[in-house]
Amino acid sequence: MTRFLYLSDTHWGAGASGYTMQPKSDTQLPALITALRSWIEAHGPVDFVLHGGDMIHETSAAGITAASQHFDLSCPVHLCLGNHDLTTEDAVEQWLHTAPQFFGAAPQLDRAASSDYAITTDDCMIHVIPNQYGPTPFRWESTQDPHFLASQIEALEARITAHPDTTHLLQTHSPVHAIEPGQSGFAEPFHQPPAEFTATVTRLVEKYGIACVLGAHSHINMNKKLDGANYITVSSFVETPFEFKLFEVGGGALTMQTHNLWQHVDFAAEYNWHSTFVQGRACDRAFERLL
Ligand SMILES: [Fe+2]
């Protein structure tokens, strides 16, 4: 059985700025990680923690060093770079140099540190493929045009093809599907990705039977079931109620549960009860399926 936690969008260093869906306590990240450590002690063990991106708010050596120090847990922590992690030309080099432990430098991973890598366990492979945002690879300036480089897709397909008998999960930062009006109550789909990005990923999912696609970026919990796959996103770990996912893979099943740390921190935190759709309905927060 593989057990891992999935959290995202910690935006360390954002200050007063930044997109939020619920009140944020990003300056309390150290306290939240302490609470997460206690949760792992009580409910673990877990094999690793996967961070879905936007670990920091802007790329800087100081920010990466701080994130590296904060996310020093009793288990490995892996990162899928998000747009806010990629705000300088040399962002990937900075991350790999300062925090290689997040990117495949650990022995259980299948290659040396790289922005794109796979986490391999006895039960599954999680392919971490950060999507692109604009014309310059691995650089976010202002555009939000999620896509993959041809070389990223090629490497992913080669890796999946070489391991046909395991369960494959795909991790990227931008959501592949919109939040439906049935969840949000809005008139239109929310955070609608470009149709081409949705088509690219759903084609890969169908072709290779990928069981689950993990996303982030929207700061909203989502679980969309399509063609036998679950497309999920997670709310921001530093926004009330400080949620994360527990994934369990093995014994012929894949399960996801959503947990929170609100009752496990001692700082005051507000919640906007007019936006409970961010946490999602029961069907957005958990699933259990056979493999
Ligand atoms: Fe993002």
Side-chain angles (χ1 to χ4, degrees), residues 59 64 81 85-97 138-139:
T59 310
I64 296 172
L81 291 165
D85 301 315
L86 296 168
T87 61
T88 63
E89 198 102 2
D90 63 345
V92 171
E93 288 72 24
Q94 283 202 56
W95 278 104
L96 297 181
H97 174 77
F138 295 99
R139 173 88 198 269

Side-chain angles (χ1 to χ4, degrees), residues 4-291:
F4 70 93
L5 302 185
Y6 179 51
L7 57 86
S8 193
D9 290 277
T10 45
H11 290 270
W12 177 254
S17 67
Y19 162 93
T20 58
M21 288 304 300
Q22 282 289 348
K24 66 173 181 170
S25 301
D26 51 322
T27 57
Q28 297 285 358
L29 181 62
L32 287 164
I33 292 175
T34 298
L36 187 68
R37 278 196 193 94
S38 301
W39 191 95
I40 292 171
E41 271 172 35
H43 303 280
V46 297
D47 297 293
F48 55 90
V49 170
L50 178 58
H51 192 301
D54 292 354
M55 186 179 260
I56 60 178
H57 197 63
E58 280 177 10
T59 310
S60 72
I64 296 172
T65 300
S68 186
Q69 288 165 352
H70 292 322
F71 282 101
D72 182 13
L73 301 178
S74 56
C75 61
V77 176
H78 303 302
L79 172 61
C80 175
L81 291 165
N83 53 312
H84 282 270
D85 301 315
L86 296 168
T87 61
T88 63
E89 198 102 2
D90 63 345
V92 171
E93 288 72 24
Q94 283 202 56
W95 278 104
L96 297 181
H97 174 77
T98 307
Q101 74 277 13
F102 293 151
F103 303 97
Q108 75 271 29
L109 301 169
D110 72 345
R111 54 192 272 185
S114 161
S115 60
D116 295 39
Y117 59 95
I119 305 164
T120 305
T121 78
D122 290 343
D123 306 289
C124 63
M125 283 182 90
I126 304 168
H127 304 272
V128 179
I129 313 292
N131 61 276
Q132 312 295 328
Y133 300 91
T136 310
F138 295 99
R139 173 88 198 269
W140 177 56
E141 287 174 283
S142 57
T143 52
Q144 293 282 357
D145 174 24
H147 64 280
F148 294 126
L149 303 174
S151 57
Q152 289 183 293
I153 294 178
E154 222 171 89
L156 171 68
E157 293 194 286
R159 204 189 297 119
I160 295 176
T161 306
H163 300 88
D165 298 324
T166 191
T167 299
H168 294 282
L169 290 80
L170 176 61
Q171 164 75 58
T172 193
H173 181 66
S174 291
V176 176
H177 294 283
I179 307 289
E180 298 294 341
Q183 176 178 348
S184 66
F186 299 163
E188 300 293 331
F190 190 45
H191 275 279
Q192 180 90 61
E196 203 177 324
F197 184 58
T198 305
T200 298
V201 180
T202 51
R203 203 165 48 233
L204 287 165
V205 166
E206 280 177 38
K207 185 172 177 186
Y208 296 106
I210 293 170
C212 185
V213 179
L214 291 78
H217 188 63
S218 59
H219 300 203
I220 300 170
N221 287 318
M222 181 190 82
N223 170 33
K224 182 183 177 71
K225 198 160 185 211
L226 181 68
D227 297 330
N230 292 85
Y231 294 81
I232 71 101
T233 56
V234 63
S235 56
S236 164
F237 183 66
V238 296
E239 293 178 18
T240 316
F242 317 117
E243 292 194 313
F244 59 96
K245 315 282 190 190
L246 169 66
F247 278 87
E248 294 181 322
V249 194
L254 167 64
T255 68
M256 181 191 80
Q257 299 169 356
T258 302
H259 295 273
N260 78 75
L261 298 173
W262 200 359
Q263 301 303 317
H264 303 278
V265 294
D266 59 8
F267 57 85
E270 299 293 317
Y271 186 76
N272 178 1
W273 291 98
H274 299 291
S275 285
T276 54
F277 83 90
V278 172
Q279 269 48 68
R281 303 155 294 184
C283 61
D284 304 310
R285 298 175 58 79
F287 70 80
E288 178 168 10
R289 50 167 291 184
L290 298 177
L291 294 171

